[in-house]
């Protein structure tokens, strides 16, 4: 008898996705949907859509969703999680959203160790607004606001978010993956699952950075897009786990006030 | 003379550049012009449309609520804009992509197999130029010379072959109606 | 027989499935769909193993795989 | 109900919010409202609530967005510069129809300004300092008691209309101490009716979405017209004001908050001298008590607005009066605090003119 | 002066700023103003200027604060949500008396809203969305030509009065194309008079300090009263408006920017039918052309404000009219664009009433 | 003949400083003043005072000064430096200013490699507003908003700014020093000097983090304050140089667009 | 009965807690009261002052522009507030710290060596209480009982010895005038 | 002879100089200055070596050192 061996996850709604041909957002959406379904948490998950191409994520994920201001996903997630610790909370964000305007919120939610999961789609460009430089745009890369290629003297250097956050105490899981090839898609899904599990186990803050294609704003075809991820992005943004719960030591809570009383 | 035009189709069909060309040609012809794109979230796909006004007098509002001419490049656009066309106006339909028929009987309807014509010239990408050519012929709102002169302005980085091809497509469009 | 089904409303013709398929099962249709895109089709259906690799990379969840 | 307490206005505000069911606060320190977060940092945990010192005002208001989306009674507070930073968030919250409560304990502006009491943020509060068409219900207490009792009213209205509500007060009311009695029973938020729009566990119901946007042509306009209906209803039903000795008044003072108390001083001093002064104190700044002012202006032909700013409230007064009476302004911006004596001088000059 | 160019409004704005001497831009992308930074990202380096894509709107406005403190002609631009985030910075800049120029290319709000043209940020622009008493000079172009030519006026006024100036426009004017001629000679900023307050090399002069605060009791009030004097002078001298066929008008339309063009359409349609319509277009929204409107209201007893919002401009009109004429509103919020025909319908109804 | 061997630097004005007894700000002010004087740059330096106790720095430093919004020093410095590359620009900031509300501006100015110097006074508390928790408040430490001691589960973990910034490409000099003892004061001065020199040599972004006492808001005496720095702060915030120009490799500027053209 | 009081001195002299005590005692005595500190940037040093109103009728404005009583705890305060005291009002001066003499001759002036008195009791920290004691005696606006009862409320975490010491200082202040 | 001068208007009596001085030269005055603070004074002036350590830690730049 014929069996469906790959079917659309119930973690996503039936609504058609508005992303461009070859865009990585769709794959990431599917993976998050599958993970929610497999972990059986779709009903008690609250997702946060960013301002960015994936603003529409609030229509695509089959869970309660909220759409807040640009860059403030981690702050909104904090508010939600503190009020509903029984719910699973994820914030889906692009690179502009998370690492440019939202940098402070990202770092502080991580530093606080909020029990939230961030799905961070790094496509090295601002998609929705039409291809401006992102904080992760590679050096030399053209965008509509770096028409001669990103010059570090003028526009600075791309930021490596996982590396940055890994210097903080609180994050429990940080990983960088990509979705440009089947093998990578499988690894990406594992990382996303782990990130949700870390939250479910109350272990701390988790974030998965996903290198993703934006053929439209890179001005390439979808196929060239996956090549760009492979040849240009991965060498600069190395894939891997940057922090895992295993490596995390128990927090010692010193009491400076006592010291003060005795000095 | 006053012509309010709406052009509408898929993103990627060159609706916007066709509209700009129209406006540029109008200006080159010495008319007052305005061009206004219905810009959306920038992602590909979906529909794109724009409004162009060409007038011998100063233009108050650039908003075209009731177009004198509607240029329809895909199916959904017909449904969306058909009703708004001014009585006695023109409905220019790319029949390569639009199967449906308009319900209006108080407007002039013209079909053009723009994609077929363009494909014969080598690429469907110039179907928009075919439509513009047809528009120019049918309404006389802009001249072929105006259009031709404007091509280089609208596509400043385009190679001459491309310009020539565009210009050829304009002509084919004029011939098709 | 293993096979895929491409939802032509969802497919945006990106061709990622084409290169993902190790057996070159998939090609692109010559006719565009109502969406304006040229969807993926099985061009060598007999070679499909149902490995799901195409579905894994499809950004539009347009592929379902049967075995 | 309670024994009389001598409390700081800011602490009364914080305690009043907790008694009104607030269980989530996120905020960022700024003078002269620091007693609010400081108080809540121990008080909220006591009742099982959450206190977060946010990394910034921007983060604070967005934490509120999330927490209120889950149905909690939430609060933030700040002063001028911080409230400015919150404007984007307030606009989002308004667009998303979320009920929140916040306070602006005004200080002198513009810019860093100073930390003296002031009323320069009236426009920002009543006209929406953020982008787009939206309104916030603005309560203006003028005593420590009202500081403590108004949060309850704000929460009730916020949830009734799904709207942002605020207390607009200033450093004087925030820092001063006065006896206070709470005029309501403490609210147990667990016993409030469930919100049929709140995010949470979707088991057995449709998934819910909270957003402030609609990119489809025409849809947002409809959303905003719905907002407009709500605003109209509020303008009809929720106006609050206090009228003092207006019956025989020959000059009407209009003032809110701190300057209404100073105006009352002037009224009392003036009445002693036989000058027939009345006072109209808007308690809600939006919706504004336009009707009563309009009515009074039919009879009282001299109206003096007293405010601690260059003149902002005075516009609402003029809009209400529509030329029927002469509207004067006594404004002291950026930390200048008028005195009753000073206001009386102004009144006398006007009476002579 | 120049050959006629067919330009996008946003590009005209950017080019106009550069020709007016702008040499520093920091901004953050947002639709529908992206063409401004995109254009300047290549155009400014061409003239030796600096383009920075800031990490956020907050950073962008504060970069401006620094750059303008050094005397440069500076610019930022954004749309609703981004302008909201800039309010704190604008308040600081105003308090510090720094000359800047910025643009709000309005879109539909509140919240994320949509990216359609709108006029919902009128209050924010004219009343100061930030904290404290301050004003910003607001120019409202209604054509691509004006988009290109107003930055020059803004810079001149900004430096004359040491004040923040802005162009309040919308997505339609930003996105539309129209022929444009620049009406001024390009400004070489190196040839502008030196600013005796600008930071830089202190060799041979007293050190300079730029700040927006004074914590000493009473001092800030004096600073703000100085601001008030400046504002008064501007209100007296810098009002700009356009009056169309008001001489014989029986109904007066008041509208700015995009809606003034739509109103003009209505006027032309109506005049054809013999309806005596006039149009008063405020070009500066602050200072507001109150006097002319007040004067006209002595004679024209029906005034219709046409705006793409729930009704914001209408308040300034009412404040000017002071009850002397009946003021009506036709408002389409959040991306609704009225048409000339639609406005004419409203006019006809009013004329009948 | 008697010689003055220690005199008030001309880098400071004569105005009395308003800081509390035993506060570290005064020492840091003096060091910056001395460095400006010794480098002969006082006349062409533009200083930025923060919002914090040192808001008054605009009266104390004997150079052109500007006082901007809370946390935005690095953005203001960016605007100034881009317009006046001939001037030396420093931003003086407290921990709340720099690492809480100003986190995004700090990271992005650093990532852009702005040629500015940040003097970052870390006193683990909000001084001016009366002792609220700072992003650098130690675990267990009491403040007016962590009345029971900072609990990481509620208020997160303190952030180590030098370590965080060291993950970025652009910074040319990052160091942490203290001013609680004479020997440390001397080292602090060296670091501050180096930071200014890095800027003068156009080598990139520089920041010196200075551990500093706030006896008032720690609720201790000035002497207990210096003990607290020694015994509690230094163990958590290790002193040293976190990035120096020597270790900095030349930037390779890849050109992804070329790659794209060939894929 | 209406008393507007301003107390002023250095930060650290306990001006604020003395003011709160005054207000509390007034409330305990059944009067209407308001207290308002001239809060500043929170750093130590500088001057501190506060306004207290004690009244038998509801208090309109808590702002004390023209105090009935001015309590002066240091030199700069005298200069700053002297002129504002109401004609016939009271000027209460801590002469331990204030060397200057007031110029007004239309107000009652009372000197108290508050620091000396306090120092004799073991700590100058209670000089504020000495002044409050003197104020209570001189004006009768608040009762000693009211003050005593209020001490525990104002300093809820203070040990009994401290409270007793404060209370003693109040008494000494009453005796000193 | 090496010595320090303490500016009693600037000194806030924090005592940091007292502990910084290796020779215990400095002590605190018993009388407060016009500022309300008790300033530092040399209590063993003869021991001063002019090492400037006190001045280095003084937060108020209240000390000048002569040698
Ligand atoms: C406050 C504010 N600033 C700017 C914008 C405009 N904006 C919308 S999406 C976006 C960036 C999108 O880029 P990214 O986060 O990388 O996501 P992507 O679209 O690439 O998925 C910007 C700047 C906004 N909506 N609000
Ligand atoms: C936007 C804004 N938010 C808050 C404040 C209030 N505020 C003034 S200083 C300060 C923090 C000071 O702490 P820090 O930066 O650590 O410096 P310190 O005073 O300790 O030297 C705060 C929160 C403000 N002025 N503006
Ligand atoms: S613009 Fe880029 S990120 Fe956005 S949908 Fe298209 S491909 Fe995806
Ligand atoms: S990957 Fe999906 S969307 Fe792309 S061509 Fe294949 S089926 Fe279509
Ligand atoms: S409060 Fe702290 S940081 Fe501020 S001046 Fe006093 S000791 Fe220094
Ligand atoms: S270190 Fe300076 S301020 Fe402190 S006691 Fe010594 S001289 Fe006085």
């Amino acid at each position: 008898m014929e069996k469906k061996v790959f079917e659309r996850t119930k973690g996503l709604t039936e609504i058609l996705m508005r992303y461009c041909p070859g865009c990585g957002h769709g794959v990431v959406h599917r993976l998050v949907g599958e993970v929610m379904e497999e972990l059986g948490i779709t009903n008690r998950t609250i997702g946060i859509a960013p301002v960015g191409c994936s603003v529409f994520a609030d229509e695509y994920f089959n869970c309660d969703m909220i759409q807040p201001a640009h860059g403030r996903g981690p702050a909104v997630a904090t508010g939600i999680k503190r009020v509903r610790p029984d719910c699973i909370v994820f914030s889906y964000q692009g690179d502009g959203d998370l690492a440019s305007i939202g940098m402070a919120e990202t770092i502080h939610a991580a530093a606080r160790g909020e029990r939230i999961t961030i799905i961070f789609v790094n496509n090295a460009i601002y998609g929705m607004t039409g291809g401006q430089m992102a904080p992760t745009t590679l050096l030399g890369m053209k965008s509509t606001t770096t028409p001669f290629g990103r010059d570090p003297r003028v526009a600075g250097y791309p930021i490596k978010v996982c590396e940055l956050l890994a210097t903080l105490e609180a994050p429990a899981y940080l990983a960088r993956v990509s979705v440009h090839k089947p093998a990578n898609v499988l690894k990406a899904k594992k990382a996303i699952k782990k990130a949700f599990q870390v939250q479910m186990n109350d272990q701390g803050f988790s974030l998965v950075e996903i290198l993703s294609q934006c053929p439209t704003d890179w001005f390439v075809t979808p196929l060239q897009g996956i090549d760009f991820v492979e040849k240009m992005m991965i060498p600069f943004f190395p894939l891997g786990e940057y922090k895992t719960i295993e490596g995390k030591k128990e927090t010692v809570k010193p009491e400076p006030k006592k010291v003060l009383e005795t000095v | 003379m006053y012509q309010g035009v709406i052009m509408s189709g898929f993103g990627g069909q060159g609706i916007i550049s066709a509209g700009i060309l129209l406006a540029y040609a109008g200006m080159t012809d010495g008319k007052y012009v305005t061009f206004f794109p219905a810009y959306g979230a920038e992602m590909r796909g979906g529909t794109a449309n724009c409004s162009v006004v060409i007038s011998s007098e100063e233009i108050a509002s650039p908003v075209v609520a009731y177009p004198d001419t509607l240029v329809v490049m895909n199916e959904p656009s017909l449904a969306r804009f058909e009703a708004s066309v001014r009585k006695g106006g023109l409905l220019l339909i790319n029949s390569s992509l639009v199967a449906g028929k308009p319900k209006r009987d108080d407007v002039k309807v013209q079909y053009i197999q723009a994609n077929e014509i363009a494909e014969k010239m080598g690429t469907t990408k110039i179907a928009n130029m075919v439509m513009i050519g047809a528009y120019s012929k049918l309404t006389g709102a802009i001249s072929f010379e105006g259009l031709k002169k404007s091509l280089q302005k609208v596509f400043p980085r385009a190679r001459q072959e491309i310009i020539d091809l565009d210009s050829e497509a304009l002509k084919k469009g004029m011939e098709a109606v | 027989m293993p096979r895929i089904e491409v939802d032509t409303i969802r497919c945006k013709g990106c061709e990622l499935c084409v290169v993902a398929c190790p057996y070159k099962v998939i090609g692109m249709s010559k006719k565009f769909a109502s969406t304006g895109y040229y969807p993926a089709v099985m061009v060598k259906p007999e070679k499909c193993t149902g490995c799901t690799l195409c579905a894994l990379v499809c950004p539009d969840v347009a592929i379902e795989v049967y075995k | 109900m309670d024994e009389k307490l001598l409390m700081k206005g800011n602490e009364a505000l914080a305690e009043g919010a907790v008694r009104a069911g607030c269980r989530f606060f996120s905020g960022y320190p700024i003078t002269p409202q620091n007693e609010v977060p400081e108080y809540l940092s121990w008080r909220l945990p006591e009742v099982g609530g959450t206190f977060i010192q946010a990394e910034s005002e921007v983060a604070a208001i967005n934490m509120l967005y999330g927490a209120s989306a889950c149905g909690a009674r939430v609060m933030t507070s700040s002063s001028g510069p911080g409230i400015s930073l919150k404007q984007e968030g307030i606009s989002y919250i308004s667009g998303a129809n979320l009920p929140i409560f916040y306070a602006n304990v005004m200080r002198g502006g513009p810019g860093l300004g100073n930390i003296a009491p002031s009323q320069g943020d009236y426009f920002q509060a009543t006209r929406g300092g953020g982008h787009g068409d939206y309104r916030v219900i603005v309560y203006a207490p003028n005593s420590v008691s009202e500081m403590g009792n108004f949060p309850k009213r704000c929460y009730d209205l916020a949830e009734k209309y799904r709207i942002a509500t605020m207390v607009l007060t200033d450093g004087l009311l925030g820092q001063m101490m006065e006896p206070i009695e709470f005029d309501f029973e403490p609210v147990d938020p667990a016993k409030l009716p469930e919100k049929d729009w709140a995010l949470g566990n979707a088991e057995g119901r449709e998934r819910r979405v909270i957003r402030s946007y609609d990119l489809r042509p025409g849809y947002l306009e409809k959303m905003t017209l719905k907002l407009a209906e709500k605003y109209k209803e509020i303008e009809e039903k929720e106006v609050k004001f206090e009228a003092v000795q207006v019956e025989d008044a020959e000059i009407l003072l209009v003032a809110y908050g701190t300057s209404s108390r100073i105006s009352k001083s002037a009224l009392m001093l003036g009445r002693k001298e036989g000058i027939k002064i009345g006072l109209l104190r808007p308690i809600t700044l939006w919706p504004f008590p336009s009707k009563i002012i309009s009515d009074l202006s039919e009879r009282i032909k001299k109206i003096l607005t007293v405010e601690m700013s260059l003149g902002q409230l005075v516009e609402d007064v003029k809009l209400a009066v529509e030329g029927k009476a002469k509207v004067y302004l006594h404004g002291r911006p950026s930390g200048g605090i008028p005195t009753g004596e000073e206001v009386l001088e102004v009144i006398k000059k006007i009476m002579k003119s």
Side-chain angles (χ1 to χ4, degrees), chain A, chain B, chain C, chain D:
Chain A
M1 235 271 298
E2 196 180 61
K3 260 197 346 208
K4 245 195 219 176
V5 291
F6 190 101
E7 69 179 325
R8 193 179 170 79
T9 169
K10 299 273 176 306
L12 296 180
T13 64
E14 290 295 318
I15 295 166
L16 295 184
M17 293 195 281
R18 283 187 57 165
Y19 303 110
C20 307
C23 170
H25 276 305
V27 180
V28 180
H29 278 33
R30 194 189 72 229
L31 297 183
V32 172
E34 288 174 358
V35 165
M36 285 199 293
E37 189 179 7
E38 288 167 21
L39 295 174
I41 56 172
T42 316
N43 266 341
R44 62 179 176 111
T45 296
I46 304 176
I48 300 166
V51 177
C53 287
S54 41
V55 68
F56 302 110
D58 64 3
E59 297 196 342
Y60 305 149
F61 289 115
N62 204 5
C63 55
D64 277 7
M65 292 291 299
I66 179 167
Q67 197 297 312
H70 189 32
R72 317 309 174 188
V76 174
T78 299
I80 293 174
K81 187 70 182 189
R82 296 289 186 111
V83 167
R84 294 295 307 241
D86 56 318
C87 289
I88 303 302
V89 181
F90 76 91
S91 176
Y92 188 107
Q93 304 184 252
D95 39 40
D97 196 73
L98 179 132
S100 192
I101 193 170
M103 179 57 95
E105 286 77 10
T106 303
I107 290 188
H108 281 275
R112 278 193 308 270
E114 297 296 340
R115 270 53 178 170
I116 58 173
T117 298
I118 296 190
I119 304 296
F120 167 35
V121 177
N122 176 359
N123 59 13
I125 203 87
Y126 282 19
M128 168 155 264
T129 42
Q132 297 83 6
M133 180 186 76
T136 49
T137 294
L138 299 176
L139 292 188
M141 191 170 162
K142 282 187 189 167
S143 73
T144 54
T145 49
T146 55
F148 315 113
R150 181 176 190 162
D151 175 354
R153 189 59 205 257
V154 173
Y157 294 79
I159 293 174
K160 297 175 179 175
V161 170
C162 281
E163 287 83 336
L164 193 70
L165 294 181
T167 65
L168 300 173
E169 180 66 31
Y173 186 68
L174 299 171
R176 187 182 287 123
V177 297
S178 81
V179 289
H180 70 301
K181 291 201 166 161
N184 294 282
V185 172
L186 288 172
K187 278 190 209 148
K189 181 163 170 188
K190 265 198 200 123
I192 292 172
K193 196 164 197 170
K194 214 159 161 184
F196 274 91
Q197 282 166 329
V198 159
Q199 181 182 168
M200 292 168 75
N201 299 336
D202 195 32
Q203 289 165 302
F205 177 90
S206 55
L207 176 145
V208 182
E209 173 174 348
I210 299 136
L211 305 184
S212 171
Q213 316 85 253
C214 175
T216 298
D217 287 313
W218 295 350
F219 289 94
V220 300
T221 65
L223 293 182
Q224 288 171 323
I226 59 176
D227 263 13
F228 185 78
V229 171
E230 174 95 15
K231 294 193 187 139
M232 295 307 304
M233 287 187 77
I234 293 178
F236 187 82
F237 295 111
L239 305 182
E241 295 187 324
Y242 285 81
K243 201 143 182 197
T244 56
I245 195 71
E246 293 84 41
K248 223 171 121 52
K249 30 180 190 348
E250 249 325 282
T251 304
V252 209
K253 186 175 160 185
E255 300 221 19
K257 213 58 190 184
K258 287 225 179 94
V259 178
L260 280 175
E261 274 150 21
T262 57
V263 287
Chain B
M1 173 259 150
Y2 177 97
Q3 265 273 319
V5 184
I6 286 181
M7 303 193 55
S8 181
F10 287 127
Q13 283 187 309
I15 302 290
I16 300 301
S17 39
I20 296 178
L21 182 67
L22 218 57
Y24 232 111
M27 181 172 84
T28 310
D29 285 354
K31 305 263 170 59
Y32 290 92
V33 294
T34 61
F35 160 85
F36 175 57
Y39 57 96
E42 304 261 353
M43 291 172 287
R44 261 184 212 165
T47 46
N49 70 72
C50 66
S51 310
V52 177
V53 179
I54 305 165
S55 168
S56 48
E57 269 153 77
E58 209 177 312
I59 298 162
S61 171
V63 178
V64 179
Y66 309 103
D68 300 292
T69 302
L70 175 67
V71 181
V72 177
M73 294 286 283
N74 72 356
E75 196 76 55
S77 298
L78 183 61
R80 180 153 170 221
F81 291 107
E82 182 184 343
S84 67
V85 182
R86 235 176 246 288
K87 226 171 123 171
L90 171 65
L91 232 166
L92 206 60
I93 296 177
N94 177 356
S95 48
S96 312
L97 302 185
V98 182
K101 293 273 169 286
K103 294 173 208 92
R104 295 278 294 270
D105 54 9
D106 56 349
V107 295
K108 199 178 142 193
V109 181
Q110 175 76 48
Y111 300 93
I112 302 138
Q113 298 252 348
N115 276 44
E116 269 82 352
I117 295 172
E119 201 150 32
K120 266 187 222 144
M121 297 175 64
T123 166
T124 55
K125 283 196 177 162
I126 51 178
N128 56 346
M129 293 296 144
V130 175
M131 296 298 282
I132 293 289
Y135 170 80
S136 131
K137 174 80 175 299
L138 288 168
T139 65
I142 38 167
S143 68
F144 177 71
E145 290 64 41
L147 285 166
K148 215 179 141 179
K149 267 196 238 159
S150 303
L151 276 172
Q152 197 76 63
K153 301 260 182 186
V154 177
F155 308 106
R157 278 182 291 271
R159 278 169 295 135
Q160 192 56 43
E161 302 100 84
I162 303 290
I163 299 287
D164 290 346
L165 193 66
D166 283 340
S167 163
E168 196 50 36
L170 288 168
K171 225 178 258 159
K172 286 272 188 280
M174 298 182 78
E175 289 162 8
V177 291
Chain C
M1 217 177 76
R3 66 184 177 87
I4 66 169
E5 253 181 36
V6 176
D7 183 337
T8 56
I9 294 290
R10 295 191 187 275
C11 174
K12 296 190 184 120
C14 70
E15 302 186 43
L16 296 193
C17 55
V18 175
V19 301
C21 174
Y23 312 104
K24 306 200 185 299
V25 171
I26 312 175
M28 302 312 292
S29 163
K30 295 256 137 49
K31 275 184 52 187
F32 58 82
S34 61
T35 55
Y37 294 118
Y38 298 82
V41 287
M42 287 178 93
V43 288
K44 299 186 191 160
E46 67 287 359
K47 296 225 168 159
C48 181
T49 64
C51 72
T52 76
L53 292 184
C54 57
L56 276 180
V57 296
C58 173
D60 287 282
V61 208
I63 302 180
E64 289 194 321
V65 186
Y66 296 82
K67 209 165 167 176
Chain D
M1 221 162 86
D2 267 298
E3 71 162 327
K4 258 200 185 168
L5 301 164
L6 189 69
M7 271 185 125
K8 256 199 173 185
N10 282 336
E11 290 179 352
L13 184 71
E15 176 63 27
V18 172
R19 292 192 189 202
C22 172
R23 291 298 178 270
F24 182 92
F25 177 95
S26 55
Y28 188 77
I30 187 168
T31 311
Q33 64 80 58
N34 288 316
E35 294 79 8
V36 178
E38 287 171 1
Y39 188 95
L40 292 172
S41 72
W42 59 266
R43 184 69 171 101
L44 274 173
E46 224 175 56
V47 294
T50 300
F51 168 85
I52 304 183
Q53 181 176 318
E55 58 271 33
S56 69
E57 290 86 353
V58 170
I61 191 73
N62 285 287
M63 288 178 187
L64 239 61
Y65 185 85
S68 77
C70 296
R73 291 203 155 176
V74 301
M75 173 182 187
T76 187
S77 69
S78 190
S79 187
I83 298 286
S84 291
L85 287 168
K86 286 175 176 159
Q87 293 303 324
E88 187 207 24
I90 294 167
S91 175
Y92 270 74
I93 284 166
S94 303
N97 292 292
L98 290 177
I100 64 156
F101 168 61
Y102 67 106
N104 179 356
V105 184
M106 288 184 280
R107 58 190 236 168
L112 183 52
N114 62 19
I115 52 178
S118 196
Q119 298 183 319
D121 305 348
Y122 179 93
F123 277 151
Q124 189 190 51
T126 59
R127 298 294 186 283
H131 57 287
D133 287 293
Y134 69 92
R135 295 285 187 172
V136 167
I137 295 182
V138 187
Y139 263 81
N142 81 346
S143 67
V144 172
S145 264
E146 289 188 350
M147 292 282 276
N149 287 311
F150 282 2
K152 167 75 163 52
R153 304 198 188 174
C154 286
Y155 280 117
D156 290 347
L157 292 174
E159 290 179 358
K160 179 171 171 197
Y161 294 103
R162 290 185 63 187
I163 193 171
T165 60
M166 80 179 288
V167 153
L168 185 69
T169 179
D170 63 55
L172 196 146
L173 285 159
Q175 295 295 326
M176 77 180 276
M177 291 178 97
E178 232 177 3
I180 167 173
E181 272 174 288
F182 287 98
D183 65 9
F184 61 91
E185 290 291 332
V187 173
D188 178 355
K191 296 200 182 126
L192 291 169
E194 227 190 285
K195 288 152 180 124
D196 62 6
W197 45 264
L199 306 182
N201 199 314
E203 197 73 54
R205 61 157 167 82
E206 287 278 281
R207 75 187 195 94
R208 294 174 182 163
V209 179
I210 290 197
R211 62 161 77 117
S212 67
Y213 78 97
D214 203 320
L215 295 174
R216 293 169 298 173
Y219 278 75
L220 192 75
E221 183 175 5
K222 279 185 204 128
M223 261 169 74
T224 304
L225 289 173
K226 272 217 165 153
L227 281 184
E229 279 170 35
K230 173 162 99 179
Y231 298 154
K232 206 166 151 237
E233 185 181 342
I234 294 171
E235 281 177 333
E236 278 159 15
K237 293 190 193 161
E238 309 297 351
V239 171
K240 295 271 178 300
F241 61 86
E242 182 193 352
V244 182
Q245 298 190 275
V246 296
E247 299 72 21
D248 63 344
E250 287 164 6
I251 180 165
L252 181 71
L253 305 183
V254 184
Y256 70 96
T258 289
S259 53
S260 72
R261 291 195 56 169
I262 293 160
S263 298
K264 185 141 176 228
S265 256
L267 179 148
M268 284 158 58
L269 289 169
R271 285 266 171 189
K272 268 188 216 154
E273 301 183 18
I275 308 174
K276 290 191 175 151
I277 306 170
L279 169 65
L280 192 290
R281 167 168 84 101
I283 292 174
T284 52
L285 302 182
W286 190 87
F288 190 75
S290 306
K291 194 178 166 322
I292 174 78
I293 294 178
S294 171
D295 290 351
L296 289 172
S297 71
E298 305 274 352
R299 188 173 54 71
I300 312 176
K301 289 303 168 193
K302 292 182 173 180
I303 299 182
L304 172 63
T305 305
V306 180
E307 48 183 321
M308 282 143 63
S309 82
L310 284 180
Q312 302 189 7
L313 167 68
V314 67
E315 281 199 4
D316 275 330
V317 175
K318 283 186 179 164
L319 282 167
V321 167
E322 285 189 301
K324 287 176 290 184
K326 183 128 203 224
V327 179
Y328 301 83
L329 164 70
H330 183 62
R332 297 276 309 270
S334 303
I337 308 176
T339 62
E341 288 82 357
E342 174 187 326
V343 173
L344 184 59
E345 282 312 304
V346 178
I347 291 172
K348 286 180 184 168
K349 250 195 240 156
I350 294 173
M351 295 307 280
K352 267 183 225 147
S353 74

